[in-house]
Amino acid sequence: MDISIIIINFNSSNYTINCIESIYKYTKDVNYEIIVVDNNSSYEDIETLSAFLEGKPITFLKSKVNLGFGGGNHFGYQFAKGNHYAFINNDAELTENSLLKLLNYSNKNKKAGVIGLHQVNKDNERFKYSYRQFIDLKYHLFKQKKPQKYYSKKTNSDLTSPFEVDIVSGAFMFFKKEAYEVAGGFDPNIFLFYEEMDICLRLKDKGYQTIFYPESTFIHYMGQSSANVKIKNEFTISYLYVIQKNYSYFYYFVLKLILLLKYGFKSIIKPKKYFSSFKILLKGGNALVYSMKP
């Protein structure tokens, strides 16, 4: 098996169906399997998806709880048989044989642990953050260049060929099996957000590269699977968890202090946007008891 494709569904079966149909349409000359993980969707949504999947050679796993992004993907991984893992958001759509291109590139580059692609919207406009730098102390203390300018200068290139980056978008992550496993896979403690930063940090620590592959694109409809979930605080909780997990305690302490000052000031100006995050920081920051994770 060349590739195991893992897709999470949560009350958005129409997007999942569209994603699978695009895989069937464009993926050729590759031995692949599709694994769909349902994260405790409504009865109606599961019925719609089940009707579509009936008779198709697709593994359909139903979780009794919402495992979130990391937990759901890692659940699906446990049933995967491929030499590569493609974790694809259900609100993504292939527009070409991207998986074959990534497979060929990965097989030729031993240090490529994970590969990402350009995200575009339905009008074929590229997103700014298909890849980016680590969101660390330097990011908060100094004005950061946009990823395109930063990596163009760093690589001294026009970024039209594959190049190493810190992070690729979690909407489409293509892993070597051994890299994913050596890095420990997605952390199921993280319910939503910053999973890609966490695993890219661990891949780097293990000697693997995170590669951006600019020679292919996919459509991303952006957050449709979580559009009706209360997620405002999860950014802060997940981020601080990832920082404390991957950096020293002193590093975490300094960063948390900076965010307290930053969010404290911004919550005065825009309380609806920042005050809830400020409160979480005051309560201890990364305590997972405040997470949406069941």
Side-chain angles (χ1 to χ4, degrees), residues 124-135:
N124 203 36
E125 298 168 332
R126 290 184 175 182
F127 294 179
K128 292 180 181 179
Y129 295 108
S130 292
Y131 58 93
R132 65 187 308 166
Q133 306 95 306
F134 289 129
I135 307 171

Side-chain angles (χ1 to χ4, degrees), residues 102-118:
L102 295 179
L103 178 65
N104 289 337
Y105 181 86
S106 181
N107 283 335
K108 292 176 183 177
N109 294 271
K110 292 184 178 180
K111 288 191 174 181
V114 63
I115 311 171
L117 303 175
H118 270 300

Side-chain angles (χ1 to χ4, degrees), residues 57-281:
I58 293 176
T59 302
F60 188 28
L61 307 173
K62 301 174 187 177
S63 174
K64 293 183 179 180
V65 295
N66 187 344
L67 298 169
F69 178 91
N73 275 319
H74 201 63
F75 178 38
Y77 143 79
Q78 295 175 63
F79 295 83
K81 303 181 184 71
N83 292 319
H84 290 81
Y85 305 137
F87 297 96
I88 304 177
N89 273 25
N90 75 327
D91 55 355
E93 179 183 326
L94 301 191
T95 58
E96 58 181 308
N97 198 353
S98 302
L99 291 170
L100 178 61
K101 291 182 177 182
L102 295 179
L103 178 65
N104 289 337
Y105 181 86
S106 181
N107 283 335
K108 292 176 183 177
N109 294 271
K110 292 184 178 180
K111 288 191 174 181
V114 63
I115 311 171
L117 303 175
H118 270 300
Q119 304 173 84
V120 299
N121 63 20
K122 61 182 179 180
D123 298 317
N124 203 36
E125 298 168 332
R126 290 184 175 182
F127 294 179
K128 292 180 181 179
Y129 295 108
S130 292
Y131 58 93
R132 65 187 308 166
Q133 306 95 306
F134 289 129
I135 307 171
D136 51 17
L137 266 177
K138 183 173 65 175
Y139 177 90
H140 292 289
L141 289 173
F142 306 104
K143 184 177 180 181
Q144 296 297 303
K145 291 181 179 179
K146 291 289 191 292
Q148 292 83 353
K149 289 185 178 180
Y150 175 82
Y151 285 108
S152 179
K153 183 177 180 180
K154 184 176 181 179
T155 61
N156 192 30
S157 73
D158 59 2
L159 306 182
T160 56
S161 298
F163 56 97
E164 185 177 1
V165 296
D166 287 340
I167 310 170
V168 292
S169 168
F172 193 127
M173 302 185 83
F174 187 87
F175 289 87
K176 277 189 176 72
K177 174 184 177 179
E178 63 267 26
Y180 182 82
E181 292 178 346
V182 166
F186 287 115
D187 186 341
N189 287 320
I190 305 173
F191 188 75
L192 279 175
F193 310 120
Y194 292 101
E195 303 91 344
E196 60 266 65
M197 177 169 163
D198 176 57
I199 199 166
C200 287
L201 279 165
R202 286 183 277 124
L203 283 168
K204 186 176 182 180
D205 184 60
K206 297 297 182 180
Y208 285 98
Q209 295 177 340
T210 296
I211 300 294
F212 186 74
Y213 188 88
E215 299 169 20
S216 187
T217 63
F218 71 98
I219 297 172
H220 187 199
Y221 292 103
M222 285 300 287
Q224 299 299 330
S225 61
S226 58
N228 296 317
V229 181
K230 295 180 180 179
I231 57 174
K232 184 181 288 186
N233 296 336
E234 211 68 24
F235 282 101
T236 305
I237 295 165
S238 297
Y239 176 60
L240 289 174
Y241 172 80
V242 169
I243 294 296
Q244 188 174 37
K245 175 183 172 182
N246 292 283
Y247 296 88
S248 69
Y249 178 77
F250 179 74
Y251 191 102
Y252 166 74
F253 177 81
V254 173
L255 190 143
K256 189 171 74 168
L257 182 61
I258 290 169
L259 289 184
L260 270 169
L261 295 171
K262 184 177 179 180
Y263 287 165
F265 176 75
K266 288 187 174 183
S267 64
I268 297 171
I269 302 170
K270 296 180 179 180
K272 288 185 178 180
K273 186 174 182 180
Y274 293 103
F275 186 65
S276 60
S277 294
F278 180 61
K279 280 202 319 185
I280 285 174
L281 283 160

